[in-house]
Every structure is written in structure tokens, then in C-alpha cells.
Amino acid sequence: MSYLDPQETEAEFEARWWQLMNDMRERFGKKPDLNALLLLIGVQELGQGAGPFTKEQKQDLMHIATCKLFSLSGHYEREYVDEEGWPHYRLLQPVPFASLKEQERLLKWHILEYFDLEE
């Protein structure tokens, strides 16, 4: 299963990614890495503000972000929100096996889609 727009070249994809990185640098004062973006998305999906969060909660937020991102391609769906307001997801179909480079590319693609939908 391919998540890439067949009309989008590698150069166009990279340009979209670097534009997002530049936007994030302007917004937060530094360029985020993938983990920081996952944490940001998790906090946004939780909808309870910026914290403070424990290390375990930050890991949970990154998990929420990953599930949310892969829900965009039908791999997960939000099942319920618990009494503390934390969303829980259900796996619908496994994410295809990929090399580390392919996994990173897949995450980047989903992150771009997420922020496109947020605008």
C-alpha cells in the first residue's frame, strides 16, 4: 500500500516537509525532530493544554499521535476517550512492515497530511 501522491515528486515532498519545519521553527523558536512533532500532535489530540507531563505521559502522547496519524490511512480508529480525557485507539489493520527509512518517510507523510487537515 502506497501513501504517496503519485503526482508528487520526491523534491516536492521534501519541499513540503522543509516548509513545515520552517513554519515550526518560526512558531516555536527551534526546528523540531520527529519525536517533538509526535509530542506536539499528541498534546493537540489530547486537548488539555501543554502540560506539564511526566515521562510516561509523554510516551503515551507520542503513542496517541502515532495512532492518530495512522488513522488517516485507515490503520487505527479512535475507540473511546477515557474518564481523564485521553483518547484510545483500536488497530484496524497492521501498518505495513517497512525499513527505518521507509518508516520515517511514512511518518513524515502522515505528519504533513495531519497539518494540512488542521489548516
Side-chain angles (χ1 to χ4, degrees):
M1 172 184 274
S2 175
Y3 299 104
L4 306 178
D5 179 346
Q7 305 302 315
E8 183 176 53
T9 66
E10 184 67 24
E12 290 167 334
F13 174 83
E14 288 297 323
R16 283 197 314 136
W17 180 253
W18 287 110
Q19 182 60 54
L20 176 63
M21 292 298 95
N22 287 332
D23 293 347
M24 292 293 152
R25 181 182 297 127
E26 286 178 21
R27 186 172 170 191
F28 298 107
K30 63 181 181 176
K31 183 184 136 214
D33 61 14
L34 276 177
N35 287 336
L37 285 171
L38 289 174
L39 186 60
L40 173 67
I41 292 167
V43 168
Q44 199 162 305
E45 288 302 306
L46 181 61
Q48 296 180 6
F53 297 106
T54 65
K55 183 177 181 178
E56 184 177 313
Q57 287 172 322
K58 288 177 182 177
Q59 291 173 335
D60 292 344
L61 287 164
M62 292 171 71
H63 177 72
I64 288 169
T66 302
C67 291
K68 171 62 180 178
L69 291 172
F70 283 102
S71 75
L72 299 175
S73 54
H75 292 282
Y76 286 87
E77 72 176 0
R78 185 183 284 199
E79 193 169 27
Y80 67 95
V81 176
D82 68 23
E83 62 281 349
E84 295 176 2
W86 288 70
H88 294 262
Y89 286 81
R90 178 169 64 101
L91 180 65
L92 298 176
Q93 60 182 353
V95 177
F97 177 79
S99 68
L100 283 176
K101 184 175 176 129
E102 292 167 333
Q103 287 175 24
E104 183 175 305
R105 165 101 173 162
L106 202 52
L107 264 179
K108 286 180 176 181
W109 186 88
H110 281 85
I111 289 168
L112 287 167
E113 287 298 299
Y114 179 84
F115 285 107
D116 284 349
L117 293 171
E118 290 295 305
E119 291 179 351

